[in-house]
Amino acid sequence: MGAYTVIGKKTPKSDAVAKVTGEARYATDVYLRGMLWARVLRSPLPHARIVRIDTSKARALKGVHAVLTAADVPDARYGALVLDMGMFARGKVRYIGEAVAAVAAVDEPTAARAVDLIEVEYDPLPAVFDPLEALAPNAPILHEALAGYTTLFDRTARAMQGNVNYQAEIACGDVEAGFAASDFVFEDTYQVQKQHPSYMEPNSTVADVDAEGRLVIYNTTQRPHINQAILSSLLGVPIAKIRVVPCHVGGGFGGKNRTLTEPPAAALARKTRRPVRLTFSHEEEFTSATTRHGGVIKLKTGVKKDGTLVASQATLYYDCGAYAPTPNAVWLGAISSTGPYRIPNVRVEAFSIYTNKMMSGAFRGYGAPQSTFARESQMDRIARELGLDPFELRLKNCLVEGDSLHTGQPLHSVQVRETLLKARAMVGWKGPRLGPNRALGVACGIFACGGFATSSIVKMNMDGTATVATGAMDMGQGLRTVMRQIAAEVLGLAPDDVTVVIGDTDLTPFDVGIFGDRGTHTGGQAVKLAAEDARDQILAAAAAGMGVPAGRLELRERKVVDRTAPERFLHLRDVLGGGQYKKGGPIIGKASINLTETAFDPGIVRGAATKMFSTYTFATHVAEVEVDPRTGVTKVDKITAVHDCGTVINPDGLRGQIIGGMATGLGYALYEDVIIEQGQVQNPSFLECRPPTAVDMPAIEFATVEGYDAKGPFGAKGVGNVSVINIAPAIANAVEHAVGARVTSLPVTPLKVLQALGAGEV
C-alpha cells in the first residue's frame, strides 16, 4: 500500500468555487439563440388504447413550430436491458404520465397552450397496480408483444412472459435438506415502497443542430455515452453525428441514468432546425421520471439453535412500473438477499414485474435497500427468538476473506467482521436497550462495486502539467477531484497540475455510466492505468536523455528523479517540451478496461442481468432511536457507521458520500413514500413526499476499516451505495428494541408503530 503524496489527503472539490459563485453551468442554464420551448402531452389514464390523436389545432396555433407523436418518429424501442420503451406511446398508454406527444413553441405559455389543444381519444383498458396481482393468470397484460422484445440478458423460463420482464434464479447447495437439518425455520414477508431520488435539479435537455448538421445535446446525465447511443438508435442517426455535452449535474443518485428529456428534445430540434429546451416540472419528476422499486420480499431461513445459518429461500417481487429501465436493480436485490453472510444452501428467485404505474429505475443502493431491509429485519427476529445478541449472530455468520457468494463468485477484500467489531466498540454496545423507549439497532450489508466498460486518456502538456479525459461523469460526488488526485499521484504532480475533462462525447473516451459504486473504483482505475502508461513513456524518454535505466527513475514534484542519486533529475517541462518535436513525439497515456475477470458460476445462476461485479463493499450501521409509545413518533438521535471501502482517496469526499447516503436511508426508513392510487401519484412534490431536511438529521459518527482492493485504484472501493442500504433495517430494529413494535413494511411511520404496538407487528 505504501505512503502516498496525494492519495488520502483532504483535497477541495475542483468545482466547489464555481458552484458556490454560481458560475457552474447546469442544463437549465443553457440558453441558445432562437431557442424553442418544449412541452409534453402526458396520458391521463393508466392503461388505454389510443384511438385517435388530432394535433391540427395545436399545429395551427401561432408560435408553434412543431408537434410530434409516435407517428412522426421512427418505430424504435430502447431500455437498459429490456428494449420496451418508445419515445412516445405507440398504440396504447401504460401509465398516467406517459408521453403521448410533444410540441415546440416560441415560449413556455404557447407550448403549454398547444399541448392543451391536442385531442386524444382513448379506449380505457383494465389496469393492474399490484405486482403480485400482475402475476395472476387473468391479470391485464401490459406488453402483448413482450416475448419479441430485445433483451440483453439470458432469459429464464418465466422472463418475458405475461407481466414478468425479468427473472433471476440462484440455487446453491440443497435448500430442502438445509431446512430439514435446521432446528428452527423463520418465514417472513416484507414490503417496501417507492422512493423518489429527490434531486433538486429536474431532468433537462437543450438539443440543437449545428452548422454541420450534427445533433448537439446539452443535458443533465450520469451516462453521456449511453445517451449518445440511445439517441442514435431511436433517431436512426450515426453516433458520430451526435454530440452529448453534459453539464454540471444538480443531483443524480441513479435517477439521471435514464434517457427521458433527450429523445423528444432531439426529435423536435431535428424537425425545426432550431435549439429546443425540454425541462421537466417538479410534478413531472414525480409522475414521469423514475423511482426506487417498491415490492414484496418473502424470506424463509433455517438456523441451528446456536444461530448458525443453514438455509435461505428468498423470493423478490419488484414492481418496475409500466416499463423496465433497469432490471439490474432486481438482480442486485437478489445478490444482496443473503446479506453479507455464509449460508450453504440458498435459493433465490427475483422478478421484475410490470404494473400500470410510473417507472422504477436506478436509485442509490440500486435494488439492495429492499432486500437488505428484509434480511436484516429477519436477522434481528432470529436473534431475539433464539436469545442471541444481534451482533454475535452476525459475527458468527459473516463472510470472510476466501469465501464465495451464493452466486459462486469468489470474494476478495472482505472486511465484514472488522466493520462489525469496530461499530460495536464505537457505540459501547452492552445490548440494544438503552432505557425506556430508547434503543440501538444494528444492520450489516453488502453491495456490488465496480465493473463494466470504461476508458481514459492522459495527455501530458509541454510545461509538465497533465490533462485527463474520461467519460465517467461527476454528478456532484466529487469524481473530478478524485481523478485529479489519482493522476497526480502517479505522475508526481500536485492536484492543481491536473485538469480533468469529463463527459463530453467529442472529447472523452467511452464510459458506460456512473452507477453501482463504479466511479472511483472502475473509472479511477482507468485513469490510474492511463497515467501509468504516460509515466512509463516519460521515464523511457528521460532515461535516454539521462543515460540511466528507466527502472532507476521516478516522478515526483514535477521532476524525473534518479532514486539512487536524487540530486540527478530533469524537470518534466524539459522532457516534455522538447518531446513534442523530437524523437518519440507527444506523450499520451491511455487505458481501456472492463473488470469482468471472474464471472458467476453458470451452474448456480440463471438469468444474471450482468455477468459479475468487480468487487463488493461492506458496512455496519447502528441507529440510536427514541420512540414515543403514545404517538408512535420515532426520533433518530445518532447513526454510527463503519465502512469497508478500501483505501480512502479523499477523506472529505468520503465524508460527503457517507452523510449523503445516511440522509437517503433516513428518508427511506421514516418519511418518503410515493403514494399511488389507481395509477395516480397522490403526492407529487417535495412538500408532500418530503425527504429529510437538516433538522431531521441525527448526529453522525463514522469510521472505516483498513482494507485494500487489488482491482481498485490504490486499493480503493466505493462507498456511495453501501452507505444507504443498512439505515432502514437498523432503525426498524432499534424501534423494536425500544418499544417492542416490529414494523415489516417501509416507511416506519407513527401509525405503523402504533398498529404494531397493538397487534405485535405490521
Side-chain angles (χ1 to χ4, degrees):
M1 290 190 277
Y4 301 119
T5 303
V6 179
I7 299 301
K9 305 298 189 294
K10 291 185 177 183
T11 305
K13 290 178 67 172
S14 57
D15 57 4
V17 173
K19 289 182 174 178
V20 169
T21 60
E23 293 299 314
R25 187 170 78 155
Y26 297 85
T28 49
D29 295 322
V30 176
Y31 291 87
L32 303 180
R33 183 187 297 273
M35 188 173 72
L36 302 174
W37 298 78
R39 287 288 292 268
V40 174
L41 175 68
R42 300 193 176 279
S43 169
L45 299 175
H47 201 195
R49 299 284 177 198
I50 299 175
V51 177
R52 178 182 62 90
I53 303 178
D54 185 349
T55 62
S56 58
K57 293 179 181 178
R59 294 177 192 274
L61 183 66
K62 183 179 179 180
V64 171
H65 285 251
V67 181
L68 299 179
T69 70
D72 303 302
V73 297
D75 185 4
R77 289 188 296 268
Y78 71 105
L81 297 174
V82 179
L83 276 59
D84 60 356
M85 186 165 69
M87 189 183 308
F88 301 110
R90 187 178 295 272
K92 72 173 185 176
V93 294
R94 295 178 173 90
Y95 71 99
I96 295 174
E98 182 168 5
V100 176
V103 304
V106 293
D107 54 36
E108 287 185 282
T110 303
R113 175 65 177 146
V115 163
D116 290 340
L117 290 174
I118 299 173
E119 298 175 1
V120 185
E121 181 183 345
Y122 296 101
D123 180 13
L125 295 169
V128 61
F129 306 108
D130 180 273
L132 297 184
E133 292 176 5
L135 293 177
N138 60 346
I141 300 299
L142 273 70
H143 296 263
E144 294 85 353
L146 180 61
Y149 288 179
T150 299
T151 56
L152 305 181
F153 55 84
D154 296 329
R155 299 185 185 186
T156 56
R158 295 187 66 180
M160 310 303 285
Q161 303 293 324
N163 287 317
V164 176
N165 56 73
Y166 172 73
Q167 179 199 19
E169 298 174 350
I170 304 171
C172 68
D174 187 331
V175 173
E176 296 308 323
F179 286 133
S182 299
D183 296 319
F184 300 93
V185 175
F186 297 87
E187 293 190 64
D188 297 286
T189 298
Y190 301 90
Q191 292 183 304
V192 290
Q193 81 282 31
K194 278 179 168 284
Q195 182 190 20
H196 191 274
S198 295
Y199 33 76
M200 296 304 294
E201 176 206 29
N203 279 278
S204 185
T205 294
V206 174
D208 192 17
V209 178
D210 69 13
E212 297 180 3
R214 297 180 73 211
L215 183 62
V216 182
I217 302 294
Y218 304 90
N219 64 342
T220 176
T221 182
Q222 296 175 219
R223 51 174 196 168
H225 289 273
I226 297 299
N227 274 183
Q228 183 188 40
I230 287 174
L231 289 172
S232 172
S233 66
L234 280 179
L235 299 172
V237 177
I239 287 178
K241 297 295 184 181
I242 301 172
R243 179 185 183 186
V244 176
V245 186
C247 304
H248 283 279
V249 180
F253 318 117
K256 301 287 178 66
N257 258 319
R258 303 278 61 81
T259 304
L260 299 173
T261 53
E262 294 89 346
L268 288 166
R270 296 186 75 226
K271 178 72 173 179
T272 62
R273 285 299 191 261
R274 287 178 59 173
V276 175
R277 171 198 292 281
L278 177 58
T279 299
F280 274 7
S281 68
H282 279 292
E283 182 171 339
E284 284 177 303
E285 285 292 344
F286 279 88
T287 62
S288 305
T290 60
T291 66
R292 189 186 302 287
H293 293 72
V296 178
I297 299 101
K298 297 185 177 182
L299 286 186
K300 180 180 179 182
T301 303
V303 300
K304 292 291 190 181
K305 63 181 66 176
D306 66 354
T308 301
L309 300 176
V310 179
S312 172
Q313 179 172 304
T315 310
L316 287 63
Y317 302 98
Y318 278 31
D319 180 352
C320 79
Y323 297 94
T326 177
N328 206 22
V330 183
W331 172 233
L332 277 160
I335 290 176
S336 299
S337 64
T338 55
Y341 305 115
R342 293 188 307 274
I343 309 178
N345 306 291
V346 174
R347 180 187 300 140
V348 182
E349 193 171 19
F351 296 92
S352 176
I353 304 164
Y354 288 125
T355 62
N356 292 112
K357 293 190 287 194
M358 65 180 298
M359 296 176 290
S360 301
F363 183 17
R364 200 166 182 173
Y366 211 44
Q370 298 93 318
S371 57
T372 301
F373 171 68
R375 173 58 60 189
E376 289 302 288
S377 293
Q378 193 183 69
M379 286 292 284
D380 254 44
R381 181 194 169 196
I382 292 169
R384 182 187 72 242
E385 296 199 18
L386 297 186
L388 300 173
D389 179 87
F391 265 99
E392 290 300 328
L393 176 65
R394 290 168 170 84
L395 285 164
K396 185 178 187 66
N397 292 282
C398 68
L399 294 164
V400 297
E401 191 79 14
D403 282 342
S404 293
L405 275 182
H406 56 299
T407 61
Q409 184 181 0
L411 295 173
H412 65 278
S413 179
V414 181
Q415 311 286 330
V416 188
R417 174 176 293 274
E418 290 79 358
T419 69
L420 282 161
L421 292 172
K422 182 170 263 190
R424 185 170 67 175
M426 287 172 67
V427 299
W429 180 273
K430 295 181 176 60
R433 290 278 291 181
L434 298 176
N437 308 322
R438 292 181 60 84
L440 300 171
V442 60
C444 191
I446 177 175
F447 190 80
C449 172
F452 306 94
T454 191
S455 51
S456 182
I457 295 169
V458 174
K459 177 174 70 74
M460 299 306 301
N461 303 313
M462 288 187 288
D463 63 352
T465 61
T467 301
V468 173
T470 172
M473 275 300 296
D474 188 328
M475 53 181 179
Q477 81 278 42
L479 188 59
R480 192 188 307 265
T481 307
V482 165
M483 300 300 199
R484 293 173 74 192
Q485 290 181 266
I486 291 170
E489 185 69 49
V490 173
L491 297 169
L493 303 174
D496 285 346
D497 294 329
V498 180
T499 296
V500 179
V501 178
I502 265 182
D504 186 328
T505 56
D506 267 12
L507 305 178
T508 64
F510 180 84
D511 179 84
V512 74
I514 292 303
F515 55 85
D517 278 347
R518 61 179 303 280
T520 294
H521 180 276
T522 306
Q525 182 69 349
V527 169
K528 180 174 183 285
L529 293 173
E532 289 174 345
D533 183 17
R535 177 199 63 195
D536 292 346
Q537 295 178 55
I538 293 169
L539 296 181
M546 296 172 70
V548 299
R552 278 174 45 184
L553 302 178
E554 63 183 13
L555 299 180
R556 63 173 188 250
E557 298 177 349
R558 280 198 183 185
K559 300 171 186 173
V560 183
V561 180
D562 185 342
R563 67 166 60 90
T564 65
E567 69 279 2
R568 298 189 62 199
F569 63 85
L570 285 176
H571 288 285
L572 273 179
R573 63 175 179 267
D574 295 329
V575 178
L576 296 165
Q580 301 287 343
Y581 306 102
K582 297 179 182 177
K583 180 180 176 181
I587 290 178
I588 300 174
K590 63 182 184 299
S592 180
I593 61 175
N594 192 340
L595 299 178
T596 56
E597 294 92 346
T598 308
F600 301 121
D601 186 335
I604 292 174
V605 172
R606 287 172 294 280
T610 53
K611 296 302 182 185
M612 71 149 295
F613 299 92
S614 179
T615 190
Y616 292 84
T617 56
F618 306 91
T620 297
H621 292 79
V622 181
E624 180 180 334
V625 310
E626 182 175 6
V627 183
D628 187 336
R630 300 167 301 170
T631 64
V633 171
T634 298
K635 181 177 182 294
V636 181
D637 292 321
K638 184 178 180 180
I639 296 177
T640 302
V642 181
H643 289 82
D644 164 29
C645 54
T647 302
V648 176
I649 302 290
N650 186 352
D652 282 345
L654 176 82
R655 181 175 184 272
Q657 285 285 73
I658 290 175
I659 292 174
M662 289 182 181
T664 299
L666 182 68
Y668 191 51
L670 296 179
Y671 307 118
E672 298 176 64
D673 185 0
V674 179
I675 299 170
I676 301 177
E677 295 180 2
Q678 296 300 303
Q680 181 70 60
V681 177
Q682 301 298 304
N683 53 344
S685 72
F686 289 134
L687 179 64
E688 300 165 292
C689 184
R690 75 173 189 90
T693 65
V695 298
D696 301 305
M697 289 297 291
I700 292 172
E701 185 179 7
F702 69 89
T704 61
V705 295
E706 184 176 349
Y708 186 90
D709 188 88
K711 295 183 180 181
F714 301 102
K717 297 196 283 188
V719 76
N721 288 285
V722 77
S723 59
V724 175
I725 65 176
N726 296 328
I727 305 299
I731 290 172
N733 291 341
V735 168
E736 183 180 29
H737 293 308
V739 293
R742 168 54 65 180
V743 179
T744 57
S745 65
L746 292 177
V748 181
T749 62
L751 177 60
K752 290 179 183 177
V753 172
L754 292 176
Q755 290 173 333
L757 284 170
E761 68 178 41
V762 63

